[in-house]
Amino acid sequence: MKKTMVLLLTLVFSMALLSGCTSTGGPPPEGEGAGTQVGDGSGADTAAAGGGGAWTGSPLEDPSSPLYEKVVYFDFDTAEIRPEYVATLRAHAEYLVNSPAARLVIEGHCDERGSREYNIALGERRADAVKSFLEAEGVSPVQLETVSYGEERPVDLGHNEDAWAKNRRAELVYQ
């Protein structure tokens, strides 16, 4: 009898727990969220409504758009933008120029090597390099903000060159 009661209580508790949970991860269901808006006024939509399966959401979320790429990687101990990221940054600059209400935070990051102070300064130089590039392409400084996280937010916790290369970056975060 005691075993049955424990099993029954466990089952009831589990059902109550599961019925109270909601999903917070993953994309919103179709028809909900910012990614399904059409005609945001920026002129940057990739297809008109009812485009027969063509992307109708924000070009920032379209995997086939250059705007989908929002990370710029750097070489060791530099804040120089590598040539392979110029086209991506130009696409973001064009989007921002054509979307004056859009705001972008540029986050500078470093790998774990170096002192905390040095890495904060290097992360700032990386974010500033991206900001300067975008401003040179015509983006209003009012649309841009920079922040440096130094080594505090690694994407790869490893302690080798592959991990460090992933952590030397600037992330473009639209607000």
Coordinates of all heavy atoms in Angstrom, one line a residue, residues 35-112:
G35 N 10.4 37.5 -36.2 CA 11.0 36.9 -37.4 C 9.9 36.7 -38.5 O 10.3 36.4 -39.6
T36 N 8.7 36.9 -38.2 CA 7.7 36.7 -39.2 C 7.0 38.0 -39.7 O 6.1 38.0 -40.5 CB 6.6 35.7 -38.7 OG1 6.0 36.3 -37.6 CG2 7.1 34.4 -38.4
Q37 N 7.5 39.1 -39.3 CA 6.9 40.4 -39.7 C 7.2 40.6 -41.1 O 8.3 40.3 -41.6 CB 7.5 41.5 -38.8 CG 7.0 41.4 -37.4 CD 7.6 42.6 -36.6 OE1 8.3 43.4 -37.1 NE2 7.4 42.5 -35.3
V38 N 6.3 41.2 -41.8 CA 6.5 41.6 -43.2 C 6.3 43.1 -43.3 O 5.4 43.6 -42.7 CB 5.5 40.9 -44.1 CG1 5.6 41.4 -45.5 CG2 5.6 39.4 -44.0
G39 N 7.2 43.8 -44.0 CA 7.1 45.2 -44.2 C 7.4 46.0 -42.9 O 6.5 46.7 -42.4
D40 N 8.6 45.9 -42.4 CA 8.9 46.6 -41.2 C 9.3 48.1 -41.4 O 9.7 48.8 -40.5 CB 10.1 45.9 -40.4 CG 11.4 45.9 -41.2 OD1 11.4 46.4 -42.3 OD2 12.3 45.4 -40.7
G41 N 9.1 48.5 -42.7 CA 9.4 49.9 -43.0 C 10.8 50.1 -43.4 O 11.1 51.2 -43.8
S42 N 11.7 49.1 -43.3 CA 13.1 49.4 -43.6 C 13.3 49.2 -45.1 O 14.4 49.5 -45.6 CB 13.9 48.4 -42.8 OG 13.8 47.1 -43.3
G43 N 12.4 48.6 -45.8 CA 12.6 48.3 -47.2 C 13.6 47.1 -47.4 O 14.1 46.8 -48.5
A44 N 13.9 46.4 -46.3 CA 14.9 45.4 -46.4 C 14.3 44.0 -46.4 O 15.0 43.0 -46.3 CB 15.8 45.5 -45.2
D45 N 12.9 43.8 -46.5 CA 12.3 42.5 -46.5 C 12.8 41.8 -47.8 O 13.0 42.4 -48.8 CB 10.8 42.6 -46.5 CG 10.3 43.1 -45.2 OD1 10.8 42.7 -44.1 OD2 9.3 43.9 -45.2
T46 N 13.0 40.5 -47.6 CA 13.5 39.7 -48.8 C 12.4 39.2 -49.7 O 12.7 38.7 -50.7 CB 14.3 38.5 -48.3 OG1 13.5 37.7 -47.4 CG2 15.5 39.0 -47.5
A47 N 11.1 39.3 -49.2 CA 10.0 38.8 -50.1 C 8.7 39.5 -49.6 O 8.6 39.9 -48.4 CB 9.9 37.3 -50.0
A48 N 7.8 39.6 -50.5 CA 6.5 40.2 -50.1 C 5.7 39.1 -49.4 O 6.0 37.9 -49.5 CB 5.8 40.7 -51.4
A49 N 4.7 39.5 -48.7 CA 3.8 38.6 -48.0 C 3.2 37.6 -49.1 O 2.9 38.0 -50.2 CB 2.7 39.3 -47.3
G50 N 3.1 36.4 -48.7 CA 2.6 35.4 -49.5 C 3.6 35.0 -50.7 O 3.1 34.7 -51.8
G51 N 4.8 35.1 -50.4 CA 5.9 35.0 -51.4 C 6.1 33.5 -51.9 O 7.1 33.2 -52.4
G52 N 5.2 32.6 -51.6 CA 5.3 31.3 -52.1 C 6.5 30.6 -51.5 O 7.3 29.9 -52.2
G53 N 6.7 30.7 -50.2 CA 7.8 29.9 -49.5 C 9.0 30.7 -49.4 O 10.0 30.3 -48.8
A54 N 9.1 31.9 -50.0 CA 10.3 32.8 -49.9 C 10.3 33.4 -48.5 O 9.3 33.5 -47.8 CB 10.3 33.9 -50.9
W55 N 11.5 33.7 -48.0 CA 11.7 34.3 -46.7 C 10.9 35.6 -46.6 O 11.0 36.5 -47.5 CB 13.2 34.6 -46.5 CG 13.4 35.1 -45.1 CD1 13.6 36.3 -44.7 CD2 13.5 34.3 -43.9 NE1 13.7 36.4 -43.3 CE2 13.7 35.2 -42.8 CE3 13.4 32.9 -43.6 CZ2 13.8 34.7 -41.5 CZ3 13.5 32.5 -42.3 CH2 13.8 33.4 -41.3
T56 N 10.1 35.8 -45.6 CA 9.3 37.0 -45.4 C 9.6 37.7 -44.1 O 9.0 38.7 -43.8 CB 7.8 36.7 -45.5 OG1 7.5 35.8 -44.4 CG2 7.4 36.1 -46.8
G57 N 10.5 37.2 -43.3 CA 10.9 37.8 -42.1 C 12.0 38.8 -42.2 O 12.3 39.2 -43.3
S58 N 12.5 39.1 -41.1 CA 13.6 40.1 -41.0 C 14.9 39.5 -41.8 O 15.2 38.3 -41.6 CB 14.0 40.4 -39.6 OG 15.2 41.0 -39.5
P59 N 15.5 40.3 -42.6 CA 16.7 39.8 -43.2 C 17.8 39.5 -42.3 O 18.7 38.7 -42.6 CB 17.1 41.0 -44.2 CG 16.5 42.2 -43.6 CD 15.2 41.7 -42.9
L60 N 17.7 40.0 -41.0 CA 18.7 39.7 -40.0 C 18.6 38.2 -39.6 O 19.6 37.7 -39.0 CB 18.5 40.6 -38.8 CG 18.7 42.1 -39.0 CD1 18.3 42.8 -37.8 CD2 20.2 42.3 -39.3
E61 N 17.5 37.6 -39.8 CA 17.3 36.2 -39.4 C 17.2 35.2 -40.6 O 17.0 34.0 -40.4 CB 16.0 36.1 -38.6 CG 16.0 36.9 -37.4 CD 17.2 36.7 -36.4 OE1 17.5 35.5 -36.3 OE2 17.7 37.6 -35.9
D62 N 17.4 35.7 -41.8 CA 17.4 34.9 -43.0 C 18.8 34.3 -43.2 O 19.8 35.0 -43.5 CB 17.1 35.8 -44.2 CG 17.0 35.0 -45.6 OD1 17.3 33.8 -45.6 OD2 16.7 35.7 -46.6
P63 N 18.9 32.9 -43.1 CA 20.1 32.3 -43.3 C 20.8 32.5 -44.6 O 22.1 32.3 -44.7 CB 19.8 30.8 -43.1 CG 18.5 30.8 -42.4 CD 17.8 32.0 -42.8
S64 N 20.1 32.9 -45.6 CA 20.7 33.1 -46.9 C 21.2 34.6 -47.1 O 21.8 35.0 -48.1 CB 19.8 32.8 -48.0 OG 18.7 33.6 -48.0
S65 N 20.9 35.4 -46.1 CA 21.3 36.9 -46.1 C 22.7 37.1 -45.5 O 23.0 36.4 -44.5 CB 20.3 37.7 -45.3 OG 20.7 39.0 -45.2
P66 N 23.5 38.0 -46.0 CA 24.8 38.3 -45.4 C 24.6 38.9 -44.0 O 25.5 38.9 -43.2 CB 25.5 39.3 -46.4 CG 24.4 39.8 -47.2 CD 23.3 38.8 -47.3
L67 N 23.4 39.4 -43.7 CA 23.1 40.0 -42.4 C 23.0 38.9 -41.3 O 23.0 39.2 -40.1 CB 21.8 40.8 -42.5 CG 21.9 42.0 -43.4 CD1 20.5 42.7 -43.5 CD2 22.9 43.0 -43.0
Y68 N 22.8 37.7 -41.7 CA 22.6 36.6 -40.8 C 23.9 36.4 -40.0 O 23.9 36.0 -38.8 CB 22.3 35.3 -41.5 CG 21.9 34.1 -40.7 CD1 20.6 34.2 -40.0 CD2 22.7 33.0 -40.5 CE1 20.2 33.1 -39.2 CE2 22.3 32.0 -39.7 CZ 21.1 32.0 -39.0 OH 20.7 31.0 -38.2
E69 N 25.1 36.6 -40.6 CA 26.4 36.5 -40.0 C 26.6 37.7 -39.1 O 26.6 38.9 -39.6 CB 27.5 36.4 -41.0 CG 28.9 36.2 -40.4 CD 29.0 35.0 -39.5 OE1 28.6 33.9 -39.9 OE2 29.4 35.2 -38.3
K70 N 26.7 37.5 -37.8 CA 26.8 38.6 -36.8 C 28.1 38.5 -35.9 O 28.1 39.1 -34.8 CB 25.6 38.7 -36.0 CG 24.3 39.0 -36.8 CD 23.1 39.0 -36.0 CE 21.8 39.1 -36.8 NZ 21.5 37.8 -37.5
V71 N 29.1 37.8 -36.4 CA 30.3 37.6 -35.6 C 31.5 37.9 -36.5 O 31.6 37.4 -37.7 CB 30.5 36.2 -35.0 CG1 31.8 36.1 -34.2 CG2 29.3 35.9 -34.1
V72 N 32.4 38.7 -36.1 CA 33.6 39.1 -36.8 C 34.8 38.5 -35.9 O 34.9 38.9 -34.7 CB 33.8 40.6 -37.0 CG1 35.1 40.9 -37.6 CG2 32.6 41.1 -37.8
Y73 N 35.6 37.7 -36.5 CA 36.7 37.1 -35.7 C 38.0 37.9 -36.0 O 38.2 38.4 -37.1 CB 36.9 35.6 -36.1 CG 35.7 34.8 -35.7 CD1 34.7 34.4 -36.5 CD2 35.6 34.3 -34.3 CE1 33.6 33.7 -36.1 CE2 34.5 33.6 -33.9 CZ 33.5 33.3 -34.8 OH 32.5 32.5 -34.4
F74 N 38.9 37.9 -35.0 CA 40.2 38.6 -35.1 C 41.3 37.7 -34.9 O 41.2 36.6 -34.2 CB 40.2 39.7 -34.0 CG 39.2 40.8 -34.2 CD1 37.9 40.7 -33.8 CD2 39.6 41.9 -34.9 CE1 37.0 41.7 -34.0 CE2 38.7 43.0 -35.1 CZ 37.4 42.8 -34.7
D75 N 42.5 38.1 -35.4 CA 43.7 37.4 -35.2 C 44.2 37.7 -33.8 O 43.7 38.6 -33.1 CB 44.8 37.7 -36.2 CG 44.4 37.2 -37.6 OD1 43.8 36.2 -37.7 OD2 44.8 37.9 -38.6
F76 N 45.2 36.9 -33.3 CA 45.7 37.0 -32.0 C 46.3 38.4 -31.7 O 47.0 39.0 -32.6 CB 46.8 36.0 -31.7 CG 47.5 36.1 -30.4 CD1 46.9 35.8 -29.2 CD2 48.8 36.6 -30.4 CE1 47.5 36.0 -28.0 CE2 49.5 36.7 -29.2 CZ 48.8 36.4 -28.0
D77 N 45.9 39.1 -30.6 CA 46.4 40.3 -30.2 C 46.2 41.5 -31.2 O 47.1 42.4 -31.2 CB 47.9 40.1 -29.8 CG 48.3 41.2 -28.8 OD1 47.5 41.7 -28.0 OD2 49.5 41.5 -28.8
T78 N 45.2 41.5 -32.0 CA 44.9 42.6 -32.9 C 43.5 43.0 -32.9 O 42.6 42.2 -32.4 CB 45.3 42.2 -34.4 OG1 44.3 41.3 -34.9 CG2 46.6 41.6 -34.5
A79 N 43.2 44.2 -33.4 CA 41.9 44.7 -33.5 C 41.7 45.0 -35.0 O 40.8 45.8 -35.3 CB 41.6 45.9 -32.6
E80 N 42.5 44.5 -35.9 CA 42.4 44.7 -37.3 C 41.3 43.8 -37.9 O 41.3 42.6 -37.8 CB 43.7 44.5 -38.0 CG 43.8 44.8 -39.4 CD 45.1 44.6 -40.0 OE1 46.1 45.0 -39.3 OE2 45.2 44.1 -41.2
I81 N 40.4 44.4 -38.7 CA 39.3 43.7 -39.3 C 39.9 42.9 -40.5 O 40.6 43.4 -41.4 CB 38.2 44.6 -39.8 CG1 37.5 45.2 -38.6 CG2 37.2 43.8 -40.6 CD1 36.5 46.3 -38.9
R82 N 39.7 41.6 -40.5 CA 40.2 40.7 -41.5 C 39.4 40.9 -42.8 O 38.2 41.2 -42.8 CB 40.2 39.2 -41.1 CG 41.1 39.0 -39.9 CD 41.2 37.7 -39.3 NE 40.4 36.6 -39.7 CZ 40.2 35.5 -39.0 NH1 40.7 35.4 -37.8 NH2 39.4 34.6 -39.4
P83 N 40.1 40.8 -44.0 CA 39.4 41.0 -45.3 C 38.1 40.2 -45.5 O 37.2 40.7 -46.1 CB 40.5 40.7 -46.3 CG 41.8 40.8 -45.6 CD 41.5 40.5 -44.1
E84 N 38.1 39.0 -45.0 CA 36.9 38.2 -45.2 C 35.6 38.7 -44.5 O 34.5 38.2 -44.8 CB 37.2 36.7 -44.8 CG 37.4 36.5 -43.4 CD 38.9 36.3 -43.0 OE1 39.7 37.0 -43.7 OE2 39.2 35.5 -42.2
Y85 N 35.7 39.7 -43.7 CA 34.6 40.2 -43.0 C 34.1 41.6 -43.5 O 33.1 42.1 -43.1 CB 34.8 40.3 -41.5 CG 35.1 39.0 -40.9 CD1 36.3 38.5 -40.5 CD2 34.0 38.1 -40.7 CE1 36.5 37.3 -40.0 CE2 34.2 36.8 -40.2 CZ 35.5 36.4 -39.9 OH 35.7 35.2 -39.4
V86 N 34.8 42.1 -44.5 CA 34.5 43.4 -45.1 C 33.1 43.4 -45.7 O 32.3 44.2 -45.5 CB 35.6 43.9 -46.1 CG1 35.1 45.1 -46.8 CG2 36.9 44.2 -45.3
A87 N 32.8 42.4 -46.5 CA 31.5 42.3 -47.2 C 30.4 42.1 -46.2 O 29.3 42.8 -46.4 CB 31.5 41.1 -48.2
T88 N 30.6 41.4 -45.2 CA 29.6 41.2 -44.1 C 29.3 42.5 -43.4 O 28.1 42.9 -43.3 CB 30.0 40.1 -43.1 OG1 30.1 38.9 -43.8 CG2 29.0 40.0 -42.0
L89 N 30.4 43.2 -43.1 CA 30.2 44.5 -42.4 C 29.6 45.6 -43.3 O 28.8 46.4 -42.9 CB 31.5 45.0 -41.8 CG 32.0 44.2 -40.6 CD1 33.4 44.6 -40.2 CD2 31.0 44.3 -39.5
R90 N 29.9 45.5 -44.6 CA 29.3 46.5 -45.5 C 27.8 46.2 -45.6 O 27.0 47.1 -45.7 CB 29.9 46.4 -46.9 CG 31.2 47.1 -46.9 CD 31.8 47.3 -48.3 NE 33.0 48.1 -48.3 CZ 34.1 47.8 -48.9 NH1 34.2 46.8 -49.6 NH2 35.1 48.6 -48.7
A91 N 27.4 44.9 -45.6 CA 25.9 44.6 -45.7 C 25.2 45.1 -44.4 O 24.1 45.6 -44.5 CB 25.8 43.1 -45.8
H92 N 25.9 45.0 -43.3 CA 25.3 45.5 -42.0 C 25.2 47.0 -42.1 O 24.2 47.6 -41.6 CB 26.1 45.0 -40.8 CG 25.8 43.6 -40.4 ND1 24.6 43.2 -39.7 CD2 26.4 42.4 -40.7 CE1 24.6 41.9 -39.5 NE2 25.7 41.4 -40.1
A93 N 26.2 47.6 -42.6 CA 26.2 49.1 -42.7 C 25.1 49.5 -43.6 O 24.3 50.5 -43.3 CB 27.6 49.6 -43.3
E94 N 24.9 48.9 -44.8 CA 23.8 49.2 -45.7 C 22.4 49.1 -45.0 O 21.5 49.9 -45.1 CB 23.8 48.4 -46.9 CG 22.8 48.7 -47.9 CD 22.8 47.8 -49.2 OE1 23.8 47.1 -49.4 OE2 21.9 47.9 -50.0
Y95 N 22.3 48.0 -44.3 CA 21.0 47.7 -43.5 C 20.8 48.9 -42.5 O 19.7 49.4 -42.4 CB 21.1 46.4 -42.8 CG 19.9 46.1 -41.9 CD1 18.7 45.7 -42.5 CD2 19.9 46.4 -40.6 CE1 17.6 45.4 -41.7 CE2 18.8 46.1 -39.8 CZ 17.6 45.7 -40.3 OH 16.5 45.5 -39.6
L96 N 21.8 49.2 -41.8 CA 21.6 50.3 -40.8 C 21.4 51.6 -41.4 O 20.5 52.4 -40.9 CB 22.9 50.3 -39.9 CG 23.0 49.1 -38.9 CD1 24.5 49.0 -38.4 CD2 22.1 49.3 -37.7
V97 N 22.0 51.9 -42.5 CA 21.7 53.2 -43.2 C 20.3 53.3 -43.7 O 19.6 54.3 -43.6 CB 22.7 53.4 -44.3 CG1 22.3 54.5 -45.3 CG2 24.1 53.7 -43.8
N98 N 19.8 52.1 -44.1 CA 18.4 52.1 -44.7 C 17.4 51.8 -43.6 O 16.2 51.9 -43.9 CB 18.3 51.0 -45.7 CG 19.1 51.3 -47.0 OD1 19.1 52.5 -47.4 ND2 19.7 50.4 -47.6
S99 N 17.8 51.6 -42.3 CA 16.9 51.4 -41.2 C 17.4 52.3 -40.1 O 17.9 51.8 -39.1 CB 17.0 49.9 -40.8 OG 16.8 49.0 -41.8
P100 N 17.1 53.6 -40.1 CA 17.6 54.5 -39.1 C 17.1 54.3 -37.7 O 17.7 54.7 -36.8 CB 17.1 55.9 -39.7 CG 16.1 55.6 -40.7 CD 16.3 54.2 -41.2
A101 N 16.0 53.5 -37.6 CA 15.5 53.2 -36.2 C 16.3 52.0 -35.6 O 16.2 51.8 -34.4 CB 14.0 52.9 -36.3
A102 N 17.0 51.3 -36.4 CA 17.7 50.1 -35.9 C 18.9 50.6 -35.0 O 19.6 51.6 -35.3 CB 18.3 49.3 -37.1
R103 N 19.2 49.8 -34.0 CA 20.3 50.1 -33.1 C 21.1 48.8 -32.9 O 20.6 47.7 -32.9 CB 19.7 50.4 -31.7 CG 18.9 51.7 -31.6 CD 19.7 52.9 -31.9 NE 19.0 54.2 -31.9 CZ 18.5 54.8 -33.0 NH1 18.7 54.3 -34.2 NH2 17.9 55.9 -32.9
L104 N 22.4 49.0 -32.9 CA 23.4 47.9 -32.8 C 24.3 48.0 -31.7 O 24.9 49.1 -31.5 CB 24.1 47.8 -34.1 CG 25.2 46.7 -34.3 CD1 24.5 45.3 -34.3 CD2 26.0 46.9 -35.6
V105 N 24.5 47.0 -30.9 CA 25.5 47.0 -29.8 C 26.6 46.1 -30.4 O 26.4 44.9 -30.8 CB 25.0 46.4 -28.5 CG1 26.1 46.3 -27.5 CG2 23.9 47.3 -28.0
I106 N 27.8 46.6 -30.4 CA 29.0 45.8 -30.8 C 29.7 45.3 -29.6 O 30.3 46.2 -28.8 CB 29.9 46.6 -31.8 CG1 29.0 47.2 -32.9 CG2 31.0 45.8 -32.3 CD1 29.7 48.4 -33.6
E107 N 29.8 44.0 -29.4 CA 30.4 43.5 -28.2 C 31.8 43.0 -28.5 O 32.0 42.1 -29.4 CB 29.6 42.3 -27.7 CG 28.2 42.6 -27.2 CD 27.5 41.4 -26.8 OE1 27.9 40.2 -27.0 OE2 26.4 41.6 -26.2
G108 N 32.8 43.5 -27.9 CA 34.2 43.0 -28.1 C 34.6 42.0 -27.1 O 34.3 42.1 -25.9
H109 N 35.2 40.9 -27.6 CA 35.6 39.7 -26.8 C 37.1 39.3 -27.1 O 37.6 39.6 -28.2 CB 34.7 38.6 -27.1 CG 33.3 38.8 -26.8 ND1 32.7 38.6 -25.6 CD2 32.3 39.3 -27.7 CE1 31.4 38.9 -25.7 NE2 31.1 39.3 -26.9
C110 N 37.7 38.6 -26.1 CA 39.1 38.2 -26.3 C 39.2 36.7 -25.8 O 38.2 36.2 -25.1 CB 40.0 39.0 -25.4 SG 40.0 40.8 -25.8
D111 N 40.3 36.1 -26.1 CA 40.6 34.8 -25.5 C 41.1 35.0 -24.1 O 41.2 36.1 -23.6 CB 41.5 33.9 -26.3 CG 42.9 34.5 -26.5 OD1 43.4 35.0 -25.5 OD2 43.4 34.4 -27.6
E112 N 41.4 33.9 -23.4 CA 41.7 34.0 -22.0 C 43.2 34.5 -21.7 O 43.5 34.8 -20.5 CB 41.5 32.6 -21.3 CG 42.5 31.6 -21.9 CD 42.2 30.2 -21.4 OE1 41.1 29.9 -21.0 OE2 43.1 29.3 -21.5

